[in-house]
Amino acid sequence: MSHETLSTILFLVFVAGTLAITFWASRNNKSATDYYAGGRSFSGAQNGLAIGGDYMSAASFLGIAGIIALSGYDGFLYSIGFLVAWLVALLLVAELMRNSGKFTMADVLAFRMSPRPVRTAAGVSTITVSIFYLLAQMVGAGALVGLLLGIKSDAGKMWTIVAVGLLMVIYVVIGGMKGTTWVQIVKAVMLMTGAALVTLLVLGKYGFNLSGLLGDAAQQSGKGDSFLIPGLKYGTEAQGIWGKIDLISLGLALVLGTAGLPHILIRFYTVPTARDARKSVLWGIGIIGVFYLLTLVLGFGAAALVGTKTISDSNKAGNTAAPLLAEKIGADIFGDVGGTVLLAVIAAVAFATILAVVAGLTLASSSSFAHDLYAHVFKRGQVTDKEEILVARIAAFVIGAVAIILGIRAQALNVAFLVALAFAIAASGNLPAILYSLFWKRFNTAGAVSAIYGGLVSALVLVIFSPAVSGAPTAMFPDADFDLIPLSNPGIFSIPIGFLCGYLGTILSKEYNAAKYAEIEVRSLTGIGSEKATSH
């Protein structure tokens, strides 16, 4: 049996299992709290696993292993950035968001301000971030299928994207937060098991001697010892000072962006208490931390056993490093059949990863549209739970259709900039508004709207005029040339602009509600009153 056939069978088994879970979970979706927040019934450990499932995307699993395999030390900086980001989420956001809000980020912002303009801005930002992130996963799905299932035709990749889009809509429309959460838990267990298995086989081959593994990786990379020290990807002589600034900019976006990602923020509302919110982030940090340590072995293992030339010949971005490593180590230890089976398992895990992440993103954006824009902006709060859930389900269909169409159109585009842009927008617009709202007494409506739109627009403009869009072989439009700013990652400029816009908007407006700030301060620290929050 070929690895393509085996991968397809394993993937279909996963899909059948998760669809069964989704239908089972949907039986208890009776209220808005059930649909948006899973009835706040998940434990800290369950939500921590789901956070891991939501966060460890295909870009993390395939992309980071590939970047390490091709760029050595510099590639591992992505892992560090993604992991350290959770400390910001834990210390500044998790508990306070859980206590202050109800279903979405806008609930926290709108409580002490004029709700309609703030909810509109938050809804626009949430949907923008989600669609960019969603688009990256859809493009990744098409590429992954082409690479792992041997589908070469554009029509085959198109139908793959359509299938992934339809599945994610089914998970969200039928299962809501409960169904989506269970899919993410199952996927997190699969991903950790698959990654740990390959890691143990690689380490076992080297007698658990990391020095031997790193030495072979450096030798097979063709770069020698420079493979194990900084400077291969960022800060090269050709890049000059801009390469180093780009690295700092990327780090800022990764570290600060996580605490503003909509599909991560809504996970804090699925637990019954603030203590469970903190516990779920600790579980998430543990799972994600172990996973990113495993990517170190996967990346360097791929460089050592497969070779960087073979990896880059298969896929210039290195996205096939982990599957190629699975096939090689499986064949070395268990023979050709073992290689085929292990490759099929890793391919199925990668598909599961894409499905779980796109479901979380679709739920976040459809919830924001229904709860923030429809219920509170268009209907001014005069809406029933049943009507709001119906609109959320319709929105999931529309967002799914948009993601499918854009995913088909974007097959030839560079995926990395889409993910970086999603993080940069979240860090530039969402995070300043959240932090100011929670910690600055003087903060007001004008400040919140200015922070969100200022960060959102500045990040978009900076990326449009960057090498990610034009002027480089890997750009969206490689034949065009309007890269006025030599930075692929806009965070170093757009994040301060977001904070500055929030500050200026606040001090230039006279609006100020001390009583509301006092109330949200008590609520964010204690959780008192959060169950009644936000019909405002």
Side-chain angles (χ1 to χ4, degrees):
M1 187 186 294
S2 68
H3 74 77
E4 289 94 345
T5 307
L6 197 54
S7 297
T8 305
I9 292 169
L10 287 171
F11 181 55
L12 291 174
V13 168
F14 171 79
V15 169
T18 50
L19 284 174
I21 290 170
T22 301
F23 281 101
W24 166 77
S26 70
R27 296 177 306 161
N28 299 317
N29 277 341
K30 296 183 175 66
S31 67
T33 302
D34 290 327
Y35 186 81
Y36 291 135
R40 306 196 202 280
S41 60
F42 290 97
S43 68
Q46 288 171 333
N47 196 42
L49 272 170
I51 284 174
D54 221 352
Y55 192 67
M56 297 181 294
S57 67
S60 293
F61 179 45
L62 300 174
I64 291 178
I67 290 171
I68 293 171
L70 298 182
S71 305
Y73 179 94
D74 280 10
F76 191 50
L77 295 172
Y78 276 82
S79 297
I80 299 297
F82 280 126
L83 178 56
V84 171
W86 277 103
L87 296 177
V88 178
L90 172 64
L91 297 173
L92 294 179
V93 172
E95 179 183 354
L96 303 180
M97 288 291 285
R98 158 63 188 75
N99 287 343
S100 307
K102 192 174 183 182
F103 300 135
T104 65
M105 172 185 80
D107 287 338
V108 178
L109 302 178
F111 179 75
R112 51 182 287 220
M113 298 165 197
S114 178
R116 295 186 79 202
V118 171
R119 284 192 184 276
T120 303
V124 168
S125 179
T126 294
I127 292 167
T128 303
V129 173
S130 297
I131 283 181
F132 274 109
Y133 215 128
L134 202 53
L135 182 53
Q137 302 301 318
M138 301 297 271
V139 171
L144 190 66
V145 167
L147 293 164
L148 298 178
L149 297 188
I151 295 174
K152 307 294 184 191
S153 68
D154 289 340
K157 292 179 183 179
M158 181 187 80
W159 285 112
T160 301
I161 291 171
V162 171
V164 170
L166 289 174
L167 278 170
M168 79 183 183
V169 169
I170 290 169
Y171 289 144
V172 172
V173 169
I174 295 173
M177 178 57 89
K178 281 186 180 175
T180 301
T181 299
W182 281 112
V183 169
Q184 287 160 347
I185 290 171
V186 171
K187 169 253 163 157
V189 173
M190 283 180 64
L191 181 58
M192 291 298 291
T193 304
L197 175 61
V198 176
T199 299
L200 286 173
L201 291 175
V202 170
L203 289 175
K205 186 175 177 67
Y206 282 92
F208 290 87
N209 181 351
L210 270 178
S211 296
L213 170 61
L214 295 175
D216 269 14
Q219 187 179 353
Q220 294 296 326
S221 71
K223 311 270 177 33
D225 290 342
S226 62
F227 192 69
L228 304 177
I229 59 176
L232 268 186
K233 187 172 177 65
Y234 295 102
T236 62
E237 286 185 24
Q239 293 170 330
I241 188 67
W242 283 108
K244 294 174 182 177
I245 293 173
D246 210 12
L247 175 59
I248 295 168
S249 190
L250 172 69
L252 278 172
L254 294 181
V255 170
L256 298 177
T258 299
L261 288 176
H263 66 297
I264 299 297
L265 292 174
I266 62 170
R267 295 237 55 88
F268 299 139
Y269 300 125
T270 63
V271 291
T273 66
R275 184 182 179 190
D276 286 313
R278 289 195 305 273
K279 195 182 290 183
S280 63
V281 178
L282 287 172
W283 269 91
I285 288 174
I287 293 160
I288 293 162
V290 171
F291 172 74
Y292 285 128
L293 284 175
L294 298 181
T295 61
L296 178 64
V297 178
L298 294 175
F300 283 114
L305 297 174
V306 180
T308 54
K309 186 178 185 309
T310 305
I311 293 166
S312 58
D313 286 348
S314 169
N315 180 261
K316 285 183 180 177
N319 289 330
T320 52
L324 288 173
L325 173 63
E327 185 175 33
K328 180 75 169 67
I329 194 71
D332 285 353
I333 296 174
F334 305 113
D336 289 344
V337 175
T340 300
V341 170
L342 202 53
L343 174 60
V345 168
I346 295 303
V349 166
F351 290 139
T353 296
I354 288 171
L355 274 181
V357 174
V358 295
L361 288 162
T362 307
L363 183 64
S365 44
S366 62
S367 298
S368 183
F369 179 84
H371 184 65
D372 297 326
L373 296 179
Y374 178 78
H376 288 91
V377 175
F378 304 149
K379 288 290 195 174
R380 298 175 182 268
Q382 304 302 308
V383 61
T384 64
D385 274 9
K386 193 172 181 182
E387 190 181 350
E388 195 176 314
I389 292 170
L390 176 63
V391 171
R393 286 174 166 152
I394 294 169
F397 273 106
V398 174
I399 289 161
V402 169
I404 289 168
I405 293 164
L406 290 177
I408 291 168
R409 295 283 303 165
Q411 274 304 288
L413 303 187
N414 181 289
V415 178
F417 100 95
L418 293 169
V419 176
L421 181 57
F423 272 83
I425 293 171
S428 306
N430 294 354
L431 189 65
I434 291 167
L435 293 184
Y436 278 148
S437 184
L438 291 172
F439 298 109
W440 188 16
K441 187 183 294 187
R442 176 79 174 77
F443 196 50
N444 56 29
T445 304
V449 172
S450 301
I452 292 172
Y453 286 134
L456 179 73
V457 172
S458 63
L460 285 170
V461 169
L462 285 165
V463 165
I464 288 168
F465 293 105
S466 79
V469 174
S470 72
T474 55
M476 275 183 73
F477 306 106
D479 298 329
D481 190 4
F482 46 87
D483 58 325
L484 306 178
I485 303 152
L487 281 179
S488 296
N489 302 291
I492 198 164
F493 293 122
S494 60
I495 295 169
I497 288 171
F499 277 98
L500 180 62
C501 287
Y503 173 76
L504 292 176
T506 300
I507 62 170
L508 293 175
S509 168
K510 294 180 180 178
E511 181 202 353
Y512 171 51
N513 192 328
K516 284 286 186 185
Y517 174 75
E519 189 174 342
I520 201 167
E521 185 177 34
V522 171
R523 176 177 292 167
S524 68
L525 294 172
T526 65
I528 294 171
S530 62
E531 292 302 316
K532 298 176 183 176
T534 72
S535 58
H536 171 94

